[in-house]
Coordinates of all heavy atoms in Angstrom, one line a residue:
Chain B
R145 N 179.2 11.6 25.4 CA 179.9 12.7 24.6 C 179.9 14.0 25.4 O 180.8 14.8 25.3 CB 179.1 12.9 23.3 CG 179.9 13.6 22.3 CD 179.4 13.2 20.9 NE 178.0 13.5 20.6 CZ 177.6 13.7 19.4 NH1 178.4 13.6 18.4 NH2 176.3 13.9 19.2
M146 N 178.8 14.2 26.2 CA 178.7 15.5 27.0 C 179.4 15.3 28.3 O 179.3 16.2 29.2 CB 177.3 15.9 27.2 CG 176.5 16.2 25.9 SD 177.2 17.5 24.9 CE 177.1 18.9 26.0
E147 N 180.0 14.2 28.6 CA 180.7 13.9 29.8 C 179.7 14.0 31.0 O 180.0 14.6 32.0 CB 181.9 14.8 30.1 CG 183.0 14.5 29.1 CD 184.1 15.6 29.1 OE1 184.2 16.3 30.1 OE2 184.8 15.7 28.1
M148 N 178.5 13.5 30.8 CA 177.4 13.5 31.8 C 176.9 12.1 32.2 O 175.9 12.0 32.9 CB 176.3 14.4 31.3 CG 176.5 15.9 31.2 SD 176.7 16.6 32.9 CE 175.1 16.5 33.5
K149 N 177.6 11.1 31.7 CA 177.1 9.8 31.9 C 176.9 9.5 33.4 O 176.0 8.8 33.9 CB 178.1 8.8 31.3 CG 177.7 7.4 31.2 CD 176.9 7.0 29.9 CE 176.4 5.6 29.9 NZ 177.5 4.6 29.7
A150 N 177.9 9.9 34.2 CA 177.9 9.7 35.7 C 176.7 10.3 36.4 O 176.3 9.9 37.5 CB 179.2 10.1 36.3
R151 N 176.1 11.3 35.7 CA 175.0 12.0 36.4 C 173.6 11.6 35.9 O 172.6 12.2 36.2 CB 175.1 13.6 36.1 CG 176.5 14.1 36.3 CD 177.0 14.1 37.7 NE 176.3 14.9 38.6 CZ 176.6 16.1 38.9 NH1 177.6 16.7 38.4 NH2 175.9 16.8 39.8
A152 N 173.6 10.5 35.0 CA 172.4 10.1 34.3 C 171.2 9.9 35.3 O 170.1 10.1 34.9 CB 172.7 8.8 33.5
N153 N 171.5 9.4 36.5 CA 170.3 9.0 37.3 C 170.1 10.1 38.4 O 169.3 9.8 39.3 CB 170.5 7.6 37.9 CG 170.5 6.6 36.9 OD1 169.7 6.6 36.0 ND2 171.5 5.7 36.9
E154 N 170.7 11.2 38.2 CA 170.5 12.3 39.2 C 169.3 13.2 38.8 O 169.1 13.3 37.6 CB 171.7 13.2 39.3 CG 172.8 12.5 40.1 CD 174.0 13.5 40.3 OE1 173.8 14.7 40.3 OE2 175.1 12.9 40.4
K155 N 168.6 13.7 39.7 CA 167.5 14.6 39.4 C 168.1 15.9 38.8 O 169.2 16.4 39.4 CB 166.7 14.9 40.6 CG 165.7 13.8 40.9 CD 164.7 14.2 41.9 CE 163.7 13.0 42.1 NZ 162.7 13.3 43.1
V156 N 167.5 16.5 37.8 CA 168.0 17.7 37.2 C 168.1 18.9 38.2 O 169.0 19.7 38.2 CB 167.1 18.1 36.1 CG1 167.4 19.5 35.5 CG2 167.1 17.1 34.9
R157 N 167.2 18.9 39.2 CA 167.2 19.9 40.3 C 168.6 20.0 40.9 O 169.0 21.1 41.4 CB 166.2 19.6 41.3 CG 165.8 20.8 42.2 CD 164.7 20.4 43.2 NE 163.4 20.3 42.5 CZ 162.7 21.4 42.2 NH1 163.1 22.6 42.5 NH2 161.5 21.3 41.6
G158 N 169.3 18.9 41.0 CA 170.6 18.8 41.7 C 171.8 19.2 40.8 O 172.9 19.3 41.3
L159 N 171.6 19.5 39.5 CA 172.6 19.9 38.6 C 172.9 21.4 38.6 O 171.9 22.2 38.8 CB 172.3 19.4 37.2 CG 172.0 17.9 37.0 CD1 171.8 17.6 35.5 CD2 173.2 17.1 37.5
N160 N 174.1 21.8 38.3 CA 174.3 23.2 38.2 C 174.0 23.7 36.7 O 173.6 22.8 35.9 CB 175.8 23.6 38.5 CG 176.8 22.9 37.5 OD1 176.5 22.8 36.4 ND2 178.0 22.6 38.0
G161 N 174.0 25.0 36.5 CA 173.6 25.5 35.3 C 174.3 24.9 34.0 O 173.7 24.6 33.0
G162 N 175.6 24.8 34.2 CA 176.4 24.3 33.1 C 176.0 22.8 32.7 O 175.9 22.5 31.5
H163 N 175.8 22.0 33.8 CA 175.4 20.6 33.5 C 174.0 20.5 32.9 O 173.8 19.7 32.1 CB 175.5 19.9 34.8 CG 176.9 19.6 35.2 ND1 177.3 19.3 36.5 CD2 178.1 19.6 34.5 CE1 178.6 19.1 36.6 NE2 179.1 19.3 35.4
R164 N 173.1 21.4 33.4 CA 171.8 21.4 32.8 C 171.8 21.7 31.3 O 171.1 21.1 30.5 CB 170.9 22.4 33.5 CG 170.5 22.0 34.9 CD 169.6 23.0 35.6 NE 169.5 22.8 37.0 CZ 168.7 23.4 37.8 NH1 168.0 24.4 37.3 NH2 168.6 23.1 39.1
R165 N 172.7 22.7 31.0 CA 172.8 23.0 29.5 C 173.4 21.9 28.7 O 172.9 21.6 27.6 CB 173.8 24.2 29.4 CG 173.1 25.6 29.6 CD 171.9 25.7 28.6 NE 171.3 27.0 28.7 CZ 170.1 27.3 28.3 NH1 169.3 26.3 27.8 NH2 169.6 28.5 28.3
R166 N 174.3 21.2 29.3 CA 174.9 20.0 28.6 C 173.8 19.0 28.4 O 173.7 18.3 27.3 CB 176.0 19.3 29.5 CG 177.2 20.2 29.5 CD 178.4 19.3 29.8 NE 179.3 19.9 30.8 CZ 180.3 19.2 31.4 NH1 180.5 18.0 31.2 NH2 181.0 19.8 32.3
V167 N 172.9 18.8 29.4 CA 171.8 17.8 29.2 C 170.9 18.3 28.1 O 170.4 17.5 27.3 CB 171.0 17.7 30.6 CG1 169.8 16.8 30.4 CG2 171.9 17.1 31.6
E168 N 170.7 19.6 28.1 CA 169.7 20.1 27.1 C 170.3 19.9 25.6 O 169.6 19.7 24.7 CB 169.4 21.6 27.3 CG 168.5 21.7 28.6 CD 167.8 23.0 28.6 OE1 168.5 24.0 28.9 OE2 166.6 23.1 28.5
I169 N 171.6 20.1 25.5 CA 172.3 19.9 24.2 C 172.2 18.4 23.9 O 171.8 18.0 22.7 CB 173.7 20.4 24.2 CG1 173.7 21.9 24.4 CG2 174.4 20.0 22.9 CD1 175.1 22.5 24.5
A170 N 172.4 17.5 24.9 CA 172.3 16.1 24.6 C 170.9 15.7 24.2 O 170.7 15.0 23.2 CB 172.7 15.3 25.9
R171 N 169.9 16.4 24.8 CA 168.5 16.1 24.5 C 168.2 16.6 23.0 O 167.6 15.9 22.3 CB 167.6 16.8 25.5 CG 166.2 16.6 25.2 CD 165.3 17.3 26.2 NE 165.4 18.7 26.1 CZ 164.7 19.6 26.9 NH1 164.0 19.1 27.9 NH2 164.9 20.9 26.8
A172 N 168.8 17.7 22.7 CA 168.5 18.3 21.4 C 169.1 17.4 20.3 O 168.6 17.4 19.1 CB 169.1 19.7 21.2
L173 N 170.1 16.6 20.6 CA 170.7 15.7 19.6 C 170.2 14.3 19.6 O 170.6 13.5 18.8 CB 172.3 15.7 19.9 CG 173.0 17.0 19.7 CD1 174.4 16.9 20.3 CD2 173.0 17.5 18.3
L174 N 169.3 14.0 20.6 CA 168.9 12.6 20.7 C 168.3 12.0 19.5 O 168.5 10.8 19.2 CB 167.8 12.5 21.8 CG 168.3 12.2 23.2 CD1 167.1 12.0 24.1 CD2 169.2 11.0 23.3
H175 N 167.5 12.8 18.8 CA 166.8 12.2 17.6 C 167.6 12.5 16.3 O 167.0 12.4 15.2 CB 165.4 12.9 17.5 CG 165.4 14.4 17.4 ND1 165.6 15.2 18.5 CD2 165.2 15.2 16.4 CE1 165.6 16.4 18.1 NE2 165.3 16.5 16.8
K176 N 168.9 12.7 16.5 CA 169.8 12.8 15.4 C 169.4 13.9 14.4 O 169.2 13.6 13.2 CB 170.0 11.5 14.7 CG 170.6 10.4 15.6 CD 170.7 9.1 14.8 CE 171.1 8.0 15.7 NZ 171.0 6.6 15.1
P177 N 169.3 15.1 14.8 CA 168.9 16.1 13.9 C 170.0 16.6 13.0 O 171.2 16.3 13.3 CB 168.4 17.3 14.8 CG 169.3 17.1 16.0 CD 169.5 15.6 16.2
D178 N 169.7 17.2 11.9 CA 170.7 17.7 11.0 C 171.0 19.2 11.3 O 172.0 19.8 10.8 CB 170.2 17.7 9.5 CG 169.8 16.3 9.2 OD1 170.7 15.4 9.2 OD2 168.6 16.1 8.8
I179 N 170.0 19.8 12.0 CA 170.2 21.2 12.3 C 170.0 21.4 13.8 O 169.1 20.8 14.5 CB 169.0 22.0 11.6 CG1 169.1 21.8 10.1 CG2 169.0 23.5 12.0 CD1 167.8 22.0 9.4
L180 N 170.9 22.2 14.4 CA 170.8 22.5 15.8 C 170.6 24.0 16.0 O 171.5 24.8 15.6 CB 172.1 22.0 16.5 CG 172.2 22.1 18.0 CD1 171.0 21.3 18.7 CD2 173.5 21.6 18.6
L181 N 169.5 24.4 16.7 CA 169.3 25.8 17.0 C 169.5 26.0 18.5 O 168.9 25.3 19.3 CB 167.8 26.1 16.6 CG 167.4 25.8 15.2 CD1 165.9 26.1 15.0 CD2 168.2 26.5 14.2
L182 N 170.3 27.0 18.8 CA 170.6 27.3 20.2 C 170.3 28.8 20.5 O 170.9 29.6 19.9 CB 172.0 27.0 20.6 CG 172.5 25.5 20.3 CD1 173.3 25.5 19.0 CD2 173.2 24.9 21.5
D183 N 169.3 29.0 21.3 CA 168.9 30.4 21.6 C 169.6 30.9 22.9 O 169.2 30.5 24.0 CB 167.4 30.5 21.8 CG 166.9 31.9 21.9 OD1 167.7 32.9 21.8 OD2 165.7 32.1 22.1
E184 N 170.7 31.6 22.8 CA 171.5 32.1 23.9 C 171.7 31.0 24.9 O 171.3 31.2 26.1 CB 170.8 33.4 24.5 CG 170.6 34.5 23.5 CD 170.3 35.8 24.1 OE1 170.6 36.0 25.3 OE2 169.7 36.7 23.4
P185 N 172.3 30.0 24.5 CA 172.5 28.8 25.4 C 173.4 29.0 26.6 O 173.4 28.2 27.5 CB 173.0 27.7 24.5 CG 173.8 28.5 23.4 CD 173.0 29.7 23.2
T186 N 174.2 30.1 26.6 CA 175.2 30.3 27.6 C 174.8 31.3 28.6 O 175.6 31.7 29.5 CB 176.6 30.7 27.0 OG1 176.3 31.9 26.2 CG2 177.1 29.6 26.2
V187 N 173.5 31.8 28.5 CA 173.1 32.8 29.5 C 173.2 32.2 30.9 O 172.8 31.1 31.2 CB 171.6 33.2 29.2 CG1 171.0 33.9 30.4 CG2 171.5 34.0 28.0
G188 N 173.8 33.0 31.8 CA 173.9 32.7 33.2 C 175.1 31.7 33.5 O 175.2 31.3 34.7
L189 N 175.9 31.4 32.5 CA 177.0 30.4 32.8 C 178.3 31.2 33.0 O 178.5 32.3 32.4 CB 177.1 29.4 31.6 CG 175.9 28.6 31.3 CD1 176.2 27.6 30.2 CD2 175.4 27.8 32.6
D190 N 179.3 30.5 33.7 CA 180.6 31.2 33.9 C 181.4 31.1 32.6 O 181.1 30.3 31.7 CB 181.3 30.5 35.0 CG 181.5 29.1 34.8 OD1 182.3 28.7 33.9 OD2 180.9 28.2 35.5
P191 N 182.4 31.9 32.4 CA 183.2 32.0 31.1 C 183.7 30.7 30.7 O 183.7 30.3 29.5 CB 184.3 33.0 31.4 CG 183.7 33.8 32.5 CD 182.9 33.0 33.4
Q192 N 184.3 29.9 31.7 CA 184.9 28.6 31.3 C 183.8 27.6 30.7 O 184.0 27.0 29.7 CB 185.5 27.9 32.5 CG 186.8 28.6 33.0 CD 186.5 29.6 34.0 OE1 185.3 30.2 34.1 NE2 187.5 30.0 34.8
T193 N 182.7 27.6 31.3 CA 181.6 26.7 30.9 C 181.1 27.2 29.5 O 180.8 26.4 28.6 CB 180.4 26.7 31.9 OG1 181.0 26.4 33.2 CG2 179.4 25.6 31.6
R194 N 181.0 28.5 29.4 CA 180.5 29.1 28.1 C 181.4 28.7 27.0 O 180.9 28.2 25.9 CB 180.5 30.6 28.2 CG 179.3 31.2 28.9 CD 178.9 32.5 28.4 NE 180.0 33.5 28.3 CZ 180.3 34.4 29.2 NH1 179.5 34.6 30.2 NH2 181.2 35.3 29.0
R195 N 182.7 28.8 27.2 CA 183.7 28.4 26.2 C 183.6 26.9 25.8 O 183.6 26.5 24.7 CB 185.1 28.8 26.7 CG 186.1 28.7 25.7 CD 187.5 29.3 26.2 NE 188.6 28.6 25.6 CZ 188.9 28.7 24.3 NH1 188.2 29.5 23.5 NH2 189.9 28.1 23.8
A196 N 183.5 26.1 26.9 CA 183.5 24.7 26.7 C 182.2 24.3 25.8 O 182.3 23.5 24.9 CB 183.4 23.9 28.0
L197 N 181.1 24.9 26.1 CA 179.9 24.5 25.4 C 180.0 25.0 23.9 O 179.6 24.3 23.0 CB 178.7 25.2 26.0 CG 178.0 24.6 27.2 CD1 176.8 25.4 27.7 CD2 177.6 23.1 26.9
N198 N 180.6 26.2 23.8 CA 180.7 26.7 22.4 C 181.7 25.8 21.6 O 181.4 25.5 20.4 CB 181.3 28.1 22.6 CG 181.3 28.9 21.2 OD1 182.3 28.7 20.5 ND2 180.3 29.6 20.9
L199 N 182.7 25.4 22.2 CA 183.7 24.5 21.5 C 183.1 23.2 21.1 O 183.3 22.6 20.1 CB 184.9 24.3 22.4 CG 185.9 25.5 22.5 CD1 187.1 25.2 23.4 CD2 186.4 25.9 21.1
H200 N 182.3 22.7 22.1 CA 181.6 21.4 21.8 C 180.7 21.5 20.6 O 180.6 20.6 19.8 CB 180.8 21.0 23.1 CG 180.1 19.7 22.9 ND1 180.8 18.5 22.9 CD2 178.8 19.4 22.6 CE1 179.9 17.5 22.7 NE2 178.7 18.0 22.5
V201 N 179.9 22.5 20.6 CA 179.0 22.7 19.5 C 179.7 22.9 18.1 O 179.3 22.3 17.1 CB 178.0 23.9 19.7 CG1 177.1 24.2 18.5 CG2 177.1 23.5 20.9
R202 N 180.8 23.6 18.2 CA 181.6 23.7 17.0 C 182.1 22.4 16.5 O 182.2 22.1 15.3 CB 182.8 24.7 17.2 CG 182.4 26.1 17.3 CD 183.5 27.0 17.7 NE 183.0 28.4 17.9 CZ 182.8 29.2 16.9 NH1 183.0 28.9 15.6 NH2 182.3 30.4 17.2
K203 N 182.5 21.5 17.5 CA 183.0 20.2 17.1 C 181.9 19.4 16.4 O 182.2 18.6 15.6 CB 183.4 19.5 18.4 CG 184.4 18.4 18.2 CD 185.1 18.0 19.5 CE 186.0 16.8 19.4 NZ 185.4 15.6 19.0
L204 N 180.6 19.6 16.9 CA 179.5 18.9 16.3 C 179.4 19.2 14.8 O 179.1 18.4 13.9 CB 178.2 19.2 17.0 CG 177.9 18.7 18.3 CD1 176.7 19.3 18.9 CD2 177.8 17.1 18.2
C205 N 179.7 20.5 14.5 CA 179.6 20.9 13.1 C 180.7 20.2 12.3 O 180.4 19.6 11.2 CB 179.9 22.4 12.9 SG 178.6 23.4 13.6
D206 N 181.9 20.1 12.9 CA 183.0 19.5 12.1 C 182.8 18.0 12.0 O 183.0 17.4 11.0 CB 184.3 19.8 12.9 CG 184.6 21.3 12.9 OD1 184.1 22.0 12.0 OD2 185.4 21.8 13.8
D207 N 182.5 17.4 13.2 CA 182.4 15.9 13.2 C 181.2 15.3 12.6 O 181.3 14.3 11.9 CB 182.5 15.4 14.6 CG 183.8 15.8 15.3 OD1 184.7 16.3 14.6 OD2 184.0 15.6 16.5
E208 N 180.1 16.0 12.8 CA 178.8 15.4 12.3 C 178.1 16.1 11.2 O 177.0 15.8 10.9 CB 177.9 15.3 13.6 CG 178.5 14.7 14.8 CD 177.9 13.5 15.3 OE1 176.7 13.2 15.0 OE2 178.6 12.8 16.1
N209 N 178.8 17.2 10.8 CA 178.2 18.0 9.7 C 176.8 18.6 10.0 O 176.0 18.7 9.2 CB 178.1 17.1 8.4 CG 178.4 17.9 7.2 OD1 178.9 18.9 7.2 ND2 178.0 17.3 6.0
I210 N 176.7 18.9 11.3 CA 175.4 19.5 11.7 C 175.4 21.0 11.4 O 176.4 21.7 11.7 CB 175.2 19.2 13.2 CG1 174.9 17.8 13.4 CG2 174.1 20.1 13.8 CD1 174.7 17.3 14.9
T211 N 174.3 21.5 10.9 CA 174.2 23.0 10.7 C 173.8 23.6 12.0 O 172.8 23.2 12.6 CB 173.1 23.2 9.6 OG1 173.4 22.4 8.5 CG2 173.0 24.7 9.3
V212 N 174.5 24.6 12.4 CA 174.2 25.2 13.7 C 173.8 26.7 13.6 O 174.4 27.5 12.8 CB 175.4 25.1 14.7 CG1 175.2 26.0 15.9 CG2 175.6 23.7 15.1
L213 N 172.8 27.1 14.3 CA 172.5 28.5 14.4 C 172.5 28.9 15.9 O 171.7 28.4 16.7 CB 171.1 28.9 13.9 CG 170.7 30.3 14.0 CD1 171.6 31.2 13.1 CD2 169.2 30.6 13.5
W214 N 173.5 29.7 16.3 CA 173.8 30.0 17.7 C 173.5 31.4 17.9 O 174.2 32.3 17.4 CB 175.3 29.7 17.9 CG 175.8 30.0 19.3 CD1 176.1 31.2 19.8 CD2 176.3 29.1 20.3 NE1 176.6 31.1 21.1 CE2 176.8 29.8 21.4 CE3 176.3 27.7 20.4 CZ2 177.3 29.2 22.5 CZ3 176.9 27.1 21.6 CH2 177.3 27.9 22.6
A215 N 172.4 31.7 18.7 CA 172.0 33.1 19.0 C 172.8 33.6 20.2 O 172.9 32.8 21.2 CB 170.5 33.2 19.2
T216 N 173.3 34.7 20.1 CA 174.0 35.3 21.3 C 174.1 36.8 21.2 O 173.9 37.4 20.1 CB 175.4 34.7 21.3 OG1 176.1 35.1 22.5 CG2 176.3 35.1 20.1
H217 N 174.5 37.4 22.3 CA 174.9 38.8 22.2 C 176.2 39.0 22.8 O 176.7 40.1 23.1 CB 173.8 39.8 22.8 CG 173.5 39.5 24.2 ND1 172.5 38.7 24.6 CD2 174.2 39.8 25.4 CE1 172.5 38.6 25.9 NE2 173.5 39.3 26.4
L218 N 176.9 37.8 23.0 CA 178.3 37.9 23.6 C 179.3 37.6 22.5 O 179.3 36.5 21.9 CB 178.4 36.8 24.7 CG 177.4 36.9 25.8 CD1 177.4 35.6 26.6 CD2 177.7 38.1 26.7
M219 N 180.0 38.6 22.1 CA 180.9 38.5 21.0 C 182.1 37.6 21.2 O 182.6 37.1 20.2 CB 181.5 39.9 20.6 CG 180.4 40.9 20.2 SD 179.4 40.3 18.8 CE 177.9 40.0 19.6
E220 N 182.4 37.3 22.4 CA 183.5 36.3 22.6 C 183.1 34.9 22.2 O 184.0 34.0 22.1 CB 184.0 36.4 24.1 CG 183.0 35.9 25.1 CD 182.3 37.1 25.7 OE1 182.1 38.1 25.0 OE2 181.9 37.0 26.9
E221 N 181.9 34.7 21.9 CA 181.5 33.4 21.4 C 181.6 33.2 19.9 O 181.2 32.2 19.4 CB 180.0 33.1 21.9 CG 179.9 33.0 23.4 CD 178.5 32.8 23.9 OE1 177.5 32.9 23.1 OE2 178.3 32.6 25.1
I222 N 182.0 34.3 19.3 CA 182.0 34.3 17.8 C 183.5 34.3 17.3 O 184.3 35.1 17.9 CB 181.3 35.5 17.2 CG1 179.8 35.4 17.7 CG2 181.3 35.5 15.7 CD1 179.0 36.6 17.4
N223 N 183.8 33.5 16.4 CA 185.1 33.5 15.8 C 185.1 34.5 14.6 O 184.1 34.7 14.0 CB 185.6 32.1 15.3 CG 185.8 31.2 16.4 OD1 185.9 31.6 17.6 ND2 185.9 29.9 16.2
I224 N 186.3 34.9 14.2 CA 186.4 35.9 13.2 C 185.9 35.4 11.8 O 185.4 36.2 11.0 CB 187.8 36.5 13.1 CG1 187.9 37.9 12.6 CG2 188.8 35.5 12.4 CD1 187.6 38.9 13.6
D225 N 186.0 34.1 11.6 CA 185.7 33.5 10.3 C 184.3 32.9 10.3 O 183.9 32.2 9.4 CB 186.7 32.5 9.8 CG 186.9 31.4 10.9 OD1 186.5 31.6 12.0 OD2 187.6 30.4 10.6
D226 N 183.5 33.2 11.4 CA 182.1 32.6 11.5 C 181.2 33.5 10.6 O 181.3 34.7 10.6 CB 181.6 32.7 12.9 CG 182.1 31.7 13.8 OD1 182.6 30.6 13.3 OD2 182.1 31.9 15.0
P227 N 180.3 32.8 9.9 CA 179.2 33.6 9.2 C 178.3 34.1 10.3 O 177.9 33.4 11.2 CB 178.5 32.6 8.4 CG 179.2 31.3 8.5 CD 180.1 31.4 9.7
I228 N 177.9 35.4 10.2 CA 177.0 36.0 11.2 C 175.8 36.6 10.6 O 175.9 37.0 9.4 CB 177.7 37.1 12.1 CG1 178.3 38.2 11.2 CG2 178.8 36.5 13.0 CD1 178.2 39.5 11.8
I229 N 174.7 36.6 11.3 CA 173.5 37.3 10.9 C 173.2 38.3 12.0 O 173.0 37.9 13.1 CB 172.3 36.3 10.7 CG1 172.7 35.3 9.6 CG2 171.1 37.0 10.4 CD1 171.9 34.0 9.8
L230 N 173.4 39.6 11.7 CA 173.2 40.6 12.7 C 171.8 41.1 12.6 O 171.4 41.7 11.5 CB 174.2 41.7 12.4 CG 174.0 43.0 13.3 CD1 174.1 42.7 14.8 CD2 175.1 44.0 13.0
L231 N 171.0 40.9 13.6 CA 169.6 41.3 13.6 C 169.5 42.5 14.6 O 170.0 42.5 15.7 CB 168.8 40.1 14.2 CG 167.3 40.0 13.9 CD1 167.0 40.0 12.4 CD2 166.7 38.7 14.6
H232 N 168.8 43.5 14.1 CA 168.6 44.7 14.9 C 167.2 45.3 14.6 O 166.9 45.5 13.4 CB 169.7 45.7 14.6 CG 169.7 46.9 15.5 ND1 169.5 46.8 16.8 CD2 169.8 48.2 15.2 CE1 169.5 48.1 17.3 NE2 169.7 48.9 16.4
Q233 N 166.5 45.5 15.7 CA 165.1 46.0 15.5 C 164.3 45.3 14.5 O 163.6 45.9 13.7 CB 165.2 47.5 15.2 CG 165.8 48.3 16.4 CD 166.0 49.8 16.1 OE1 165.8 50.3 15.0 NE2 166.2 50.5 17.2
G234 N 164.4 44.0 14.5 CA 163.6 43.2 13.6 C 164.0 43.0 12.2 O 163.4 42.3 11.4
S235 N 165.1 43.7 11.8 CA 165.6 43.5 10.5 C 167.1 43.1 10.4 O 167.8 43.3 11.4 CB 165.6 44.9 9.7 OG 164.2 45.3 9.7
I236 N 167.5 42.5 9.3 CA 168.9 42.1 9.2 C 169.8 43.3 8.8 O 169.5 43.9 7.8 CB 169.0 41.0 8.2 CG1 168.4 39.7 8.8 CG2 170.5 40.7 7.9 CD1 168.6 38.4 8.0
L237 N 170.7 43.6 9.7 CA 171.7 44.7 9.3 C 172.8 44.2 8.5 O 173.4 44.9 7.7 CB 172.3 45.3 10.7 CG 171.5 46.4 11.4 CD1 172.3 46.9 12.5 CD2 171.2 47.5 10.4
L238 N 173.2 42.9 8.8 CA 174.4 42.4 8.1 C 174.3 40.8 8.1 O 174.0 40.2 9.1 CB 175.6 42.8 8.8 CG 177.0 42.4 8.2 CD1 177.2 43.2 6.9 CD2 178.1 42.7 9.1

Side-chain angles (χ1 to χ4, degrees):
Chain B
R145 200 154 60 158
M146 297 303 295
E147 295 169 20
M148 287 294 291
K149 190 91 185 285
R151 318 292 296 267
N153 295 317
E154 285 183 31
K155 283 194 178 175
V156 171
R157 194 178 287 281
L159 302 182
N160 64 33
H163 286 157
R164 287 183 193 183
R165 274 306 186 201
R166 288 202 224 171
V167 174
E168 290 197 290
I169 294 175
R171 182 178 67 181
L173 295 169
L174 268 188
H175 57 286
K176 300 180 185 165
D178 305 299
I179 298 156
L180 185 59
L181 308 175
L182 304 103
D183 187 6
E184 303 196 20
T186 56
V187 165
L189 302 181
D190 60 67
Q192 290 89 339
T193 312
R194 280 212 307 262
R195 187 172 152 70
L197 279 182
N198 188 273
L199 287 176
H200 179 78
V201 171
R202 287 175 185 279
K203 199 164 178 299
L204 286 173
C205 291
D206 297 339
D207 297 351
E208 314 239 339
N209 216 16
I210 290 177
T211 308
V212 169
L213 182 62
W214 175 290
T216 186
H217 57 264
L218 302 168
M219 293 306 110
E220 62 265 32
E221 294 178 352
I222 300 169
N223 292 346
I224 205 81
D225 55 349
D226 284 338
I228 56 145
I229 297 155
L230 173 56
L231 201 58
H232 186 44
Q233 295 178 345
S235 298
I236 290 188
L237 273 186
L238 186 68

